[in-house]
Amino acid sequence: MWMGDCNGINLLFKLSIPTAEFDFLETFTTTPESLLDITHLYIRSNHKLARSNLIQETENGIKRLSINAIHPLTDRLLPIFINDEADYGPKIRANMSMLNVQIGTPKSNSYDESFANKHSISTVIDSSTRWHKMDTETLLSELRSRELGGYRTSGKLSDWCISRQRYWGTPIPIIHCDQCGSVPVPENELPVRLPSIENIRSSSKTGISPLANAHDWKKIQCPKCGNENAKRETDTMDTFVDSSWYFLRYLDNENTEKPFEPNIVNKLMPVDLYIGGLEHALTHLFVARFIQHFMHSKGLCTSLEPFKRFIPIGMVQGKTYKTSNGQYVTKDKVLTIDKNTMIHSLTKERVEVDWEKMSKSKYNGTDPQEIIDAYGVDFTRLLMLNFVHPRSLRNFTLEDGIAEGLQNWFKIFINLYVELIDPRTKTDTKSVMSNEEFQQIELALREQRLNTIYTVTFYIDSFFSVASAIIELQKLTRYLRKVPINIKRESNEYLRSLCDLLVMIGPVIPALSSELWTILQKQIKTNINGYDLSKNLFEQNYPSLPNDYPAKINALYDTTVFASMPIARSLLPTLTTTDILQQLNNNDNQLQMKTFIEKNGLKFDRLRKLDDYCATLIYERDPNVTIVEQSEPLIEKKKSKTSKKKQVS
C-alpha cells in the first residue's frame, strides 16, 4: 500500500471523565481479533494525561490514572496504567501520540497476563454477550458506525502537525475562548484574511508567530457565547495543506462559492504526470494522495488517485573533499599525489573524495549563472539532461569531457541548417545518381527517421528518459550529416527529417531550435508533409508514425530492452497480456529472451500499452531466485559509460 502495509486498526476509547485536552484516547493494534479481550490500557510516562493531578498510586506501587477508558463496544470501564515497559511498537515511533497508548489483552499476550495478575486486574470476560457472536469484520464495521475507529491502517502513520509560527501561511480558522474553548470561525466569515503588519519575521528563539503581535486582528468576539476577550489562533497552516490539493483548484480557480466544482475537475483529473524531488515523494505526494482519497470518499472526486504517473527527480551532486575528521576542504586546497591519493595542501593529511548534495558548507556547489555565461542557457539545460536517468543522482562536473563532446555535437547539429543558407559549392564525388540509387537512399532515410520517432517516443512515454531520447536524436544528427549533398538538395525526406529533429529536440533546447526553425522557414520552398512552415516551431504537431510502420512488443528490465518483435498496429490493441506474452515467446529470439530472464532471475510484473504503437512487458527481479553471476545488462551499462565521449562526438 502507498501508505505502508495496512497491518492493523485504529481504536478510540472515550474517557469516563473527559479532560480539557482529551475526550478520548487513540491507539493502534495489529491484533483486531483480540478487540473483545481488552481489560486495561497502558500509556507512557511522557503522555500528556500522565500529570500529577490525574495520577494515583495502587497498593502494588504502580501508577494509574484516576479516570478510566470506556471500551468502544462493551462500555466496560478499563483502568489506564502508566507503564513504559509495555511494547508500544518500534522505538523510532515512540513519540507518536497514538503509539503512546497500548491495549492490554491478557488472554493473548503473556506480558499483559503477567501484569494483570500482579496488579489484580480483572481478566474475566463475559463471552455470552452479543458481541462474541460477531466476526471481526462485523465488529470493525460497528466501530466505524460509532466513529470509534475500526479502520484498517498502517502502524507507520503519524499525526501531521499543520501549525507553523510564521506569517505567510493560511490562517487556522479557530477562535480561543476562555469559556467555550476552541471554537471554529463561522463559515460566513471565511476565509480568515491575514492582517497587514510591519514585521512578518518570526522569532526562532521564542517560537511565537508574528501574528501574535497583531493585537487588533487577534482580539475577537466569541461566535458561540459572545465573549469579547476571545482570541484568534495566531499560528498559520503548513503550506502542504494548500499544495495537497492545488491541482484541483487550478482547474476551477475563479470559483467564489466553493473550493472547486466537481463536474469541472472530474473531466480533467487525474493529473497525467507529476514530477518532483525525493522530498516530494516522501511528504507532498503522500499528503496529496491522502487528501484525494478523502475527496473521493466524500464523492467530490471520481478519481481515487490524483496522479497517473510520478517521476522522482534525483538530486544534483557536487564533488566534495573531506578529511578524516569530517572537515570539508575547498578544491584549491587539495593536492593530487596520484590517481587514488589526494592530500590537504597545508596539513598534508589524506583527503577523501565523494559526491554529495550541493551545499555552501561543503564547498561543492556550482553557480548556474557561471555555466550559463560560459555555454548559454540551452547548452546548460542539455548538459544537465544528458547521460542521466531522471530518477538517478546527477554528479555534475565539467571535468568529465561531456561538455566538450556536446559542443562538438552542437556544431554538427547547427551546421545541418546553416548548410541550407550556404550550400557547398564543390561538386559531390557521386554527382551522377540514378533514380534507383536516389530512392534507396530516401528509403534508408525514411527508415532512420521513423525509427528515431519511434525510439524517442518509446523512451519518453515508457520511463521519461530524456537522456536516452537525446542520444537517439544525436544518432539521427550524425546520420543526416553523412547524407550525400545532392540528396540534401533534392530530397523531401531529408527536409522532413530536419523538421522532425527540431520538433523533437525543441523542448530540450528551445531557443536554438526556434532560431534554426526560422532558417527552414526562409530556405525551404516546397511543402513538407505534416508541417506548416508559416507557423513557429512550437505550433507544429509532434511527428507521427505512418500506418504502415509496425508496432512493437518489447520485453523490458530496468531500462534494458532485452527482446523485441514487430507486430501489426491494427492487431496490437486487441491483444490481451496472455496473447502478447505468447507472441513474444514464439518469436525467433525466444531462446535469447529465455536465457536473459533465467540469468538475471526475472519474473513478469506488468504490461504497459502505449496507444497502438508499443506494448511493453515489464520484468522485475524475482526475490525467490538467487543470482549466481553478474547480470549481462550491468556489464553493458559499464561499457556504455566508458564510451560517452564517442557517443556525442
Side-chain angles (χ1 to χ4, degrees):
M1 293 292 288
W2 61 271
M3 60 179 182
D5 292 333
C6 290
N7 57 341
I9 63 165
N10 68 321
L11 289 172
L12 298 178
F13 296 86
K14 291 182 179 179
L15 295 176
S16 58
I17 304 176
T19 69
E21 295 174 305
F22 292 92
D23 294 324
F24 52 80
L25 288 176
E26 181 178 7
T27 188
F28 169 84
T29 177
T30 57
T31 58
E33 64 277 4
S34 64
L35 177 62
L36 298 177
D37 300 328
I38 301 172
T39 60
H40 58 284
L41 299 182
Y42 308 108
I43 62 172
R44 291 183 185 273
S45 59
N46 62 353
H47 194 282
K48 288 185 178 181
L49 277 178
R51 54 178 188 259
S52 57
N53 64 323
L54 290 178
I55 295 177
Q56 60 185 31
E57 194 167 316
T58 66
E59 295 178 359
N60 295 330
I62 189 73
K63 294 180 179 179
R64 60 162 291 179
L65 297 186
S66 57
I67 57 178
N68 297 313
I70 302 173
H71 194 287
L73 292 177
T74 66
D75 292 334
R76 174 176 178 168
L77 292 179
L78 307 173
I80 304 169
F81 295 91
I82 300 169
N83 181 7
D84 290 329
E85 296 179 1
D87 182 9
Y88 291 90
K91 290 183 178 179
I92 57 171
R93 302 288 175 179
N95 294 323
M96 289 169 50
S97 61
M98 69 184 298
L99 295 186
N100 276 338
V101 181
Q102 188 55 266
I103 60 173
T105 54
K107 185 177 178 180
S108 56
N109 185 290
S110 58
Y111 177 85
D112 296 339
E113 181 183 19
S114 174
F115 186 91
N117 291 335
K118 183 177 180 180
H119 301 292
S120 304
I121 301 171
S122 175
T123 58
V124 178
I125 303 293
D126 184 4
S127 59
S128 64
T129 65
R130 65 187 180 96
W131 304 111
H132 286 83
K133 299 176 184 178
M134 299 179 183
D135 59 76
T136 302
E137 289 304 319
T138 305
L139 293 175
L140 297 184
S141 177
E142 181 65 25
L143 285 175
R144 293 192 291 269
S145 68
R146 296 184 177 201
E147 298 185 350
L148 293 174
Y151 291 96
R152 292 194 178 274
T153 185
S154 168
K156 295 181 179 180
L157 289 178
S158 59
D159 290 337
W160 174 20
C161 179
I162 66 165
S163 61
R164 298 292 184 269
Q165 294 72 49
R166 56 192 179 206
Y167 174 82
W168 59 87
T170 302
I172 297 174
I174 293 293
I175 294 170
H176 299 285
C177 175
D178 294 337
Q179 300 173 22
C180 304
S182 299
V183 180
V185 173
E187 189 171 348
N188 61 359
E189 295 181 17
L190 295 176
V192 176
R193 299 188 181 278
L194 290 168
S196 296
I197 57 177
E198 292 183 3
N199 183 14
I200 65 170
R201 287 192 169 189
S202 60
S203 172
S204 58
K205 294 182 179 179
T206 61
I208 298 175
S209 169
L211 289 173
N213 296 320
H215 301 292
D216 293 340
W217 174 84
K218 183 172 69 171
K219 185 178 179 181
I220 191 172
Q221 183 180 27
C222 174
K224 191 173 183 180
C225 70
N227 177 13
E228 296 287 346
N229 295 315
K231 298 177 181 177
R232 290 188 186 276
E233 172 59 58
T234 57
D235 282 1
T236 54
M237 295 187 199
D238 179 1
T239 51
F240 273 8
V241 175
D242 296 328
S243 63
S244 62
W245 65 282
Y246 68 86
F247 42 87
L248 297 170
R249 179 63 182 176
Y250 279 174
L251 301 178
D252 190 21
N253 62 359
E254 294 184 3
N255 196 325
T256 58
E257 301 297 324
K258 54 178 106 171
F260 58 86
E261 175 55 54
N263 292 335
I264 294 176
V265 303
N266 288 327
K267 292 177 182 178
L268 298 167
M269 286 290 292
V271 176
D272 293 298
L273 180 64
Y274 179 115
I275 303 174
L278 183 61
E279 71 279 4
H280 284 247
L282 297 177
T283 48
H284 179 259
L285 182 63
F286 184 94
V287 295
R289 297 182 77 187
F290 186 88
I291 294 296
Q292 181 76 7
H293 277 236
F294 169 75
M295 298 284 193
H296 180 268
S297 71
K298 296 299 181 183
L300 297 173
C301 294
T302 54
S303 59
L304 182 63
E305 293 291 344
F307 316 113
K308 291 181 182 178
R309 291 181 64 191
F310 170 59
I311 304 292
I313 302 300
M315 289 287 187
V316 180
Q317 299 192 129
K319 190 179 287 187
T320 58
Y321 304 91
K322 189 164 51 175
T323 61
S324 57
N325 63 359
Q327 181 181 1
Y328 289 96
V329 181
T330 56
K331 183 181 177 181
D332 61 329
K333 293 180 181 177
V334 176
L335 292 178
T336 301
I337 303 302
D338 55 46
K339 184 179 179 181
N340 300 314
T341 308
M342 293 187 178
I343 63 171
H344 196 297
S345 60
L346 300 178
T347 64
K348 307 304 179 186
E349 63 178 309
R350 186 164 181 150
V351 174
E352 296 296 328
V353 182
D354 200 358
W355 292 93
E356 298 181 55
K357 178 182 175 182
M358 287 188 177
S359 169
K360 289 181 180 179
S361 62
K362 298 174 183 177
Y363 309 115
N364 68 336
T366 300
D367 187 348
Q369 192 59 52
E370 293 179 4
I371 308 297
I372 292 171
D373 291 342
Y375 297 100
V377 175
D378 272 359
F379 190 88
T380 302
R381 184 184 293 106
L382 183 66
L383 192 61
M384 289 298 299
L385 293 173
N386 218 27
F387 295 118
V388 63
H389 194 276
R391 295 175 175 83
S392 304
L393 296 171
R394 177 65 161 101
N395 294 340
F396 187 83
T397 178
L398 295 175
E399 301 171 357
D400 54 10
I402 290 179
E404 289 78 4
L406 285 177
Q407 282 181 313
N408 290 335
W409 174 75
F410 250 45
K411 293 174 183 176
I412 297 169
F413 174 63
I414 293 170
N415 193 55
L416 290 177
Y417 300 89
V418 173
E419 282 179 346
L420 297 175
I421 302 173
D422 185 20
R424 300 175 189 178
T425 55
K426 66 178 182 178
T427 57
D428 189 11
T429 55
K430 202 171 185 180
S431 57
V432 180
M433 184 179 294
S434 67
N435 264 352
E436 185 179 351
E437 288 176 308
F438 186 91
Q439 289 173 3
Q440 285 178 347
I441 293 176
E442 275 225 311
L443 282 174
L445 249 175
R446 180 179 188 269
E447 182 60 30
Q448 182 68 32
R449 180 177 66 82
L450 295 181
N451 182 66
T452 302
I453 294 172
Y454 175 88
T455 311
V456 167
T457 307
F458 170 75
Y459 279 126
I460 296 295
D461 285 354
S462 291
F463 32 85
F464 209 71
S465 181
V466 178
S468 299
I470 290 172
I471 290 174
E472 295 302 315
L473 294 170
Q474 290 171 336
K475 289 179 183 177
L476 179 61
T477 305
R478 292 194 297 273
Y479 186 90
L480 295 176
R481 177 183 59 170
K482 297 176 182 178
V483 171
I485 295 173
N486 46 344
I487 293 288
K488 291 182 178 181
R489 291 172 184 162
E490 302 171 22
S491 171
N492 197 61
E493 193 64 43
Y494 175 76
L495 295 177
R496 189 170 182 182
S497 298
L498 292 181
C499 292
D500 288 347
L501 180 58
L502 281 184
V503 171
M504 288 189 283
I505 199 69
V508 180
I509 47 174
L512 176 59
S513 298
S514 295
E515 289 293 322
L516 297 179
W517 183 262
T518 61
I519 294 178
L520 288 178
Q521 290 176 306
K522 292 177 181 179
Q523 301 300 321
I524 296 179
K525 307 303 180 184
T526 60
N527 292 326
I528 304 297
N529 190 17
Y531 292 101
D532 183 350
L533 294 180
S534 67
K535 296 181 179 179
N536 68 48
L537 175 65
F538 296 105
E539 290 182 280
Q540 306 300 321
N541 292 325
Y542 187 84
S544 59
L545 294 169
N547 292 331
D548 63 348
Y549 192 85
K552 289 184 182 179
I553 296 175
N554 299 313
L556 178 76
Y557 167 61
D558 194 11
T559 57
T560 302
V561 177
F562 61 88
S564 183
M565 66 169 287
I567 190 170
R569 292 176 70 178
S570 59
L571 183 60
L572 185 60
T574 65
L575 297 179
T576 64
T577 302
T578 304
D579 295 333
I580 292 172
L581 275 167
Q582 186 176 356
Q583 289 271 351
L584 199 56
N585 286 327
N586 291 337
N587 83 89
D588 295 337
N589 297 321
Q590 59 172 313
L591 182 60
Q592 180 183 347
M593 174 182 169
K594 185 178 179 181
T595 302
F596 186 94
I597 291 173
E598 290 177 353
K599 192 170 184 179
N600 291 282
L602 306 181
K603 65 174 182 177
F604 173 68
D605 184 66
R606 63 193 183 278
L607 171 71
R608 178 185 290 161
K609 277 190 179 182
L610 298 174
D611 298 326
D612 63 346
Y613 74 90
C614 178
T616 305
L617 297 163
I618 300 174
Y619 285 78
E620 302 289 352
R621 289 277 193 196
D622 188 342
N624 299 318
V625 176
T626 303
I627 307 298
V628 179
E629 299 180 25
Q630 187 181 26
S631 62
E632 192 68 20
L634 298 180
I635 297 174
E636 290 178 356
K637 285 180 183 178
K638 286 184 178 179
K639 287 181 180 178
S640 67
K641 286 182 180 179
T642 61
S643 59
K644 284 178 182 176
K645 288 187 184 179
K646 224 178 247 189
Q647 289 175 328
V648 296
S649 61

